[in-house]
Amino acid sequence: MRLIPREVETLWTLFTGPVVWALHFLACYAAAAIYCAKASEAPFSFDALRLSLFAITVVALVAILAAAWLSWRQWGFGSGDPPHDAPTRHDRLLFQGFATLLLSGLSFIAVIFVSVPLLFIEVCAR
Amino acid sequence: MVPGELGFVRHLALGLRRSISESLEGRTQGEAPTILRYLLPFTALILVGCGGQQSALDPSGEESEAVYRLFIVMVIGGVAIWLGVSALYIYAARHRQTSWPPAQASALIGWGGVAFPVVVLLALLGYAVWLMPVVRPWNSLAGTDGAIEVTGEQFWWRIRYPGVNGNPAFETANEIRLPVGQPATFSLDATDVIHSFWIPALGGKMDMIPGRTNFLTLTPKRTGIYRAPCAEFCGTSHAYMAFSVVVMEQEDFEVWRRRQISGHERSADQGWELMLRHGCLGCHSLRGEKIGGATAPDLTLIGARHSIGAGTLANTAENIARFIRSPVSVKPGAKMPAFDMLPQREIDDMARYLGGLK
């Protein structure tokens, strides 16, 4: 019994990275917007909100790294060169792994970019 | 940042303009290369637009300095990347025609196409976000009584100074005066459509939205007179909707504030009698004489303002008369009715009276 399946043969894993990125984006923007709209009645400080969003960012990055590792494995840890365009089942698998890996990289960077304001914005704007 | 450093575009523009006018008058020694002689005047034309009283490239406030710094950093970064990409393009287009070994090509794509843009974009993004609290100080004054209320209306600005230190609040229009070195907070609103409040020399713009109050804090650092245009299209006379900003020394500002509160000194004047008779006070107010209507711009000490019709005309008696006679011909869509049924002599009398209220 394996915790992680040996092989992933579905197109859905392709979207793991971008989905994590989208959820992280929503979490950051919705949390900050709701907090600042209700700042006067919130029971915790803006710094607490920043810290929890920072924690969410770390979770998102770890999730993307996990997705990246899975796709790297699916790609055979770089054993073959792209473009993987032969009409075979094996090449489709490698192509999907490679595409997922690239998308994971993009999502990783995007999550970091989205979190930059967490570092610098210290108060709610009016 | 040193203030002198910031105006370097302006100095460049002034220097260029001087050298061009000298060369046009044939005062310089020797002949400039032909291409330069043709190109320089155009460069100067563009650069001359960078200085002056309505320029974000000639900053006079803390917030506008931050905007300017951000602009310069972004321009330099953008130009450097553009030059790099152009050089690569030229290299690829005309240098040796052999293809690179795959490993080397991959390295170029990895470093030049992924690592480099990620690092540069992260740095520029970080810098811009880091600068945000300076560009938009979320001042503690915001929301308190200390804010100057500015309301955008088609096509003028209602300005209400708050009561401070026992001084009563007062209203004026189309001209804001600020003491130098003091942060000023504006509370911005609109009555009809969306306008936008922008003093390029002092800071970034902020929309004025009906039903919502926005706050903006600006800290002027140099005395002077600046022009502030409406920065959101608001109707036919949008281009004629501006106000002047006068940044003064603290003492001069206090004198002005006291003058504004008390209004001008009452004196018997034919122009005043005519204004009363023709119903001007139904919409306008003149502190010192009579608090009339409040639907139109306050006219207290209008003679001391730097323009007529919200930044449309120079402040002269002739222009005031022209505005009274037919506001729509000066500002299409203006709501003030035309008073061209009055004898010209009476209009002139009122204009002279108003122009003298200083």
Side-chain angles (χ1 to χ4, degrees), chain A:
Chain A
M1 180 82 190
R2 293 174 60 94
L3 192 61
I4 302 170
R6 186 188 302 279
E7 219 167 71
V8 187
E9 269 213 69
T10 160
L11 196 62
W12 292 107
T13 55
L14 187 69
F15 306 115
T16 315
V19 165
V20 172
W21 168 17
L23 292 177
H24 173 263
F25 183 92
L26 274 179
C28 289
Y29 275 68
I34 294 171
Y35 179 88
C36 286
K38 298 173 181 286
S40 54
E41 39 197 287
F44 52 91
S45 68
F46 192 66
D47 283 337
L49 180 87
R50 283 167 76 199
L51 270 180
S52 23
L53 286 178
F54 185 73
I56 289 176
T57 304
V58 172
V59 171
L61 290 177
V62 169
I64 291 172
L65 280 179
W69 187 84
L70 283 178
S71 56
W72 192 27
R73 190 186 65 172
Q74 187 180 347
W75 187 42
F77 298 106
S79 54
D81 276 336
H84 309 301
D85 53 357
T88 63
R89 187 190 176 88
H90 181 63
D91 254 30
R92 275 198 293 279
L93 207 63
L94 289 183
F95 175 80
Q96 196 202 325
F98 186 49
T100 311
L101 183 62
L102 292 181
L103 273 176
S104 301
L106 177 69
S107 307
F108 190 85
I109 293 162
V111 166
I112 291 177
F113 277 25
V114 169
S115 339
V116 165
L118 285 179
L119 276 182
F120 297 111
I121 306 298
E122 292 168 347
V123 283
C124 289
R126 284 202 47 115

Side-chain angles (χ1 to χ4, degrees), chain B residues 30-351:
Chain B
E31 285 284 296
T34 319
I35 193 153
L36 269 186
R37 269 203 321 226
Y38 285 106
L39 272 182
L40 271 180
F42 294 104
T43 321
L45 269 183
I46 294 164
L47 283 178
V48 163
C50 299
Q53 54 173 5
Q54 189 189 306
S55 176
L57 299 177
D58 190 5
S60 300
E62 262 167 38
E63 292 74 18
S64 55
E65 279 179 4
V67 173
Y68 180 73
R69 227 179 299 158
L70 182 65
F71 170 73
I72 292 294
V73 168
M74 291 290 168
V75 165
I76 291 174
V79 166
I81 290 172
W82 179 76
L83 285 177
V85 172
S86 302
L88 265 182
Y89 169 72
I90 290 169
Y91 170 81
R94 43 158 105 151
H95 218 63
R96 53 173 190 179
Q97 300 289 330
T98 55
S99 55
W100 279 28
Q104 229 175 314
S106 293
L108 179 71
I109 292 170
W111 287 107
V114 180
F116 178 74
V118 166
V119 170
V120 169
L121 286 177
L122 186 64
L124 290 179
L125 176 71
Y127 179 66
V129 177
W130 172 73
L131 214 55
M132 246 171 105
V134 189
V135 175
R136 281 285 140 82
W138 333 121
N139 199 288
S140 52
L141 275 174
T144 67
D145 300 335
I148 300 170
E149 287 168 36
V150 185
T151 311
E153 305 192 20
Q154 281 173 329
F155 299 95
W156 60 283
W157 315 79
R158 183 190 297 277
I159 294 153
R160 189 177 169 280
Y161 278 76
V164 178
N165 304 336
N167 289 318
F170 66 90
E171 192 173 307
T172 177
N174 303 330
E175 184 165 295
I176 290 177
R177 299 208 177 200
L178 302 170
V180 68
Q182 301 281 330
T185 298
F186 300 93
S187 100
L188 307 170
D189 207 339
T191 53
D192 35 36
V193 298
I194 299 177
H195 301 274
S196 188
F197 180 90
W198 188 31
I199 312 173
L202 299 187
K205 63 186 84 164
M206 179 68 90
D207 276 2
M208 310 170 97
I209 302 166
R212 185 194 152 88
T213 305
N214 281 337
F215 290 94
L216 179 70
T217 302
L218 299 173
T219 313
K221 286 175 76 176
R222 267 197 296 170
T223 56
I225 300 165
Y226 308 104
R227 187 175 186 274
C230 177
E232 179 76 33
F233 181 75
C234 60
T236 38
S237 275
H238 164 67
Y240 298 118
M241 181 171 169
F243 59 94
S244 22
V245 181
V246 184
V247 177
M248 326 164 80
E249 297 295 345
Q250 182 76 42
E251 309 86 73
D252 299 342
F253 175 77
E254 293 303 335
V255 170
W256 175 80
R257 174 191 273 279
R258 279 197 295 278
R259 290 274 291 137
Q260 280 289 326
I261 290 169
S262 54
H264 71 279
E265 281 157 32
R266 198 178 296 229
S267 59
D269 190 291
Q270 178 68 12
W272 164 245
E273 297 296 326
L274 287 166
M275 284 191 64
L276 213 50
R277 192 192 313 155
H278 294 311
C280 302
L281 279 293
C283 299
H284 297 280
S285 276
L286 268 170
R287 270 190 306 284
E289 283 292 358
K290 187 169 187 250
I291 302 299
T295 47
D298 182 278
L299 296 180
T300 308
L301 302 176
I302 187 177
R305 291 184 199 159
H306 288 83
S307 70
I308 289 299
T312 311
L313 298 170
N315 192 350
T316 63
E318 295 76 50
N319 284 339
I320 297 178
R322 195 177 145 200
F323 200 97
I324 297 173
R325 199 160 49 241
S326 174
V328 175
S329 71
V330 178
K331 288 181 83 144
K335 297 206 173 106
M336 175 170 156
F339 282 82
D340 50 0
M341 76 298 253
L342 301 180
Q344 185 61 43
R345 185 183 42 77
E346 296 193 358
I347 293 179
D348 287 344
D349 268 353
M350 289 190 284

